[in-house]
């Protein structure tokens, strides 16, 4: 699935075009596009009009879901709700809010806020919530934070102070994704000033983590796609199973690339 800010399109695994799922009424700078756990609809976000939209795969067309100012990233929780990362206070580098959205009603609940620019979110196989920060000063400022499933479902506000720091010292966390088979965490780093554009498996700090893709232009959102066959994301696996896929290029949505096959 791709969203270029107005057109929502469906593509086959081999990259061939399947069909258009609809158009937004006006262009909006694309934030994210996510397939729901049931595989029946997409939820996408744009940050020009601050809209979240539901797009059924049936072709019924997009329907407004909620309005969240400067939404940046989102992930489906294990309970089917959507967790959104958004700079709702429009601060230059102040705080970024985490919100839970009921995808049936559009009702939005704040989970808390973290210091810094907007960052990506991911939910681990056990339900823990992960977030990558970007703070001043920028060099090596990205930390990967985690809150347990009990914390983000418990009603208390999530903050930097009550998060577990999983790793630190990275250069601009842009996207997070969990390998559904191994449970390993992967992150895309984007640092325009240093020209760092890469995807890596987070095994600790930067020196301990394994770079799996590198480019001379920004990498987009990471996603794991099953292609049939068992295995984990490792070089010794056969050429079936799951691939780590990301769009990369100077134009959105860019060209889909595979970092590796397992």
């Amino acid at each position: 699935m791709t969203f270029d800010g107005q057109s929502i399109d469906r593509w086959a695994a081999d990259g061939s075009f399947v069909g258009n799922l609809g158009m937004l009424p006006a262009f909006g700078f694309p934030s994210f596009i996510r397939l729901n756990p049931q595989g029946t609809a997409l939820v996408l976000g744009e940050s020009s009009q601050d809209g979240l939209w539901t797009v059924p795969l049936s072709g019924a067309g997009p329907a407004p879901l909620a309005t969240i100012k400067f939404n940046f990233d989102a992930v489906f929780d294990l309970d089917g709700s959507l967790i959104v990362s958004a700079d709702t206070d429009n601060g230059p580098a102040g705080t970024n809010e985490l919100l839970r959205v009921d995808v049936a009603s559009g009702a939005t609940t704040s989970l808390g806020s973290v210091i810094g620019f907007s960052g990506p979110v991911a939910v681990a196989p056990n339900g823990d919530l992960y977030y990558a920060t970007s703070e001043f000063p920028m060099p090596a400022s990205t930390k990967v934070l985690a809150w347990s499933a009990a914390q983000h479902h418990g009603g208390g506000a999530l903050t930097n102070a009550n998060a577990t720091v999983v790793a630190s010292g990275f250069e601009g966390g842009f996207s997070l994704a969990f390998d559904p088979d191994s449970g390993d965490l992967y992150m895309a780093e984007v640092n325009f000033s240093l020209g760092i554009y890469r995807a890596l498996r987070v095994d600790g700090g930067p020196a301990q983590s394994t770079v799996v893709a590198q480019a001379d232009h920004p990498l987009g959102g990471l996603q794991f796609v099953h292609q049939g066959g068992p295995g984990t994301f490792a070089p010794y696996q056969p050429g079936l199973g799951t691939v780590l896929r990301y769009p990369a290029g100077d134009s959105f949505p860019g060209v889909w690339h595979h970092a590796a096959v397992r």
Side-chain angles (χ1 to χ4, degrees), residues 41-53:
L42 305 169
V43 175
L44 59 86
E46 55 81 22
S47 58
S48 296
Q49 288 81 42
D50 305 317
L52 269 61
W53 297 76

Side-chain angles (χ1 to χ4, degrees), residues 101-167:
V101 179
D102 183 320
V103 294
S105 67
T108 302
T109 305
S110 176
L111 298 177
S113 61
V114 288
I115 297 169
F117 295 105
S118 296
V121 286
V123 171
N126 67 354
D128 292 352
L129 175 62
Y130 283 66
Y131 177 83
T133 71
S134 290
E135 306 170 37
F136 278 125
M138 289 304 296
S141 69
T142 291
K143 302 181 183 71
V144 179
L145 308 180
W147 299 271
S148 69
Q151 280 179 286
H152 70 86
H153 282 281
L158 305 182
T159 67
N160 296 70
N162 60 23
T164 298
V165 179
V166 176

Side-chain angles (χ1 to χ4, degrees), residues 32-239:
F32 63 84
I33 182 169
R34 299 287 180 265
L35 179 67
N36 70 7
Q38 297 79 26
T40 58
L42 305 169
V43 175
L44 59 86
E46 55 81 22
S47 58
S48 296
Q49 288 81 42
D50 305 317
L52 269 61
W53 297 76
T54 301
V55 186
L57 297 191
S58 64
L65 173 64
T67 300
I68 298 178
K69 191 173 184 179
F70 292 119
N71 57 79
F72 176 78
D73 193 26
V75 64
F76 276 99
D77 197 2
L78 300 187
D79 66 359
S81 64
L82 190 73
I83 298 176
V84 177
S85 167
D87 182 15
T88 57
D89 66 358
N90 193 24
T95 58
N96 184 72
E97 193 168 7
L98 300 171
L99 307 104
R100 188 182 304 278
V101 179
D102 183 320
V103 294
S105 67
T108 302
T109 305
S110 176
L111 298 177
S113 61
V114 288
I115 297 169
F117 295 105
S118 296
V121 286
V123 171
N126 67 354
D128 292 352
L129 175 62
Y130 283 66
Y131 177 83
T133 71
S134 290
E135 306 170 37
F136 278 125
M138 289 304 296
S141 69
T142 291
K143 302 181 183 71
V144 179
L145 308 180
W147 299 271
S148 69
Q151 280 179 286
H152 70 86
H153 282 281
L158 305 182
T159 67
N160 296 70
N162 60 23
T164 298
V165 179
V166 176
S168 62
F170 294 97
E171 300 286 355
F174 187 73
S175 177
L176 293 173
F178 275 94
D179 181 325
D181 296 324
S182 70
D184 291 329
L185 177 65
Y186 288 75
M187 179 169 64
E189 282 185 295
V190 173
N191 189 310
F192 293 99
S193 62
L194 297 179
I196 295 175
Y197 312 116
R198 61 190 179 189
L200 46 82
R201 188 181 67 221
V202 180
D203 296 321
Q208 294 77 36
S209 297
T210 303
V211 175
V212 297
Q214 196 156 337
D216 59 0
H217 42 65
L219 304 182
L222 303 180
Q223 59 179 252
F224 282 90
V225 182
H226 286 287
Q227 294 193 149
T232 57
F233 188 67
Y236 53 81
Q237 294 293 339

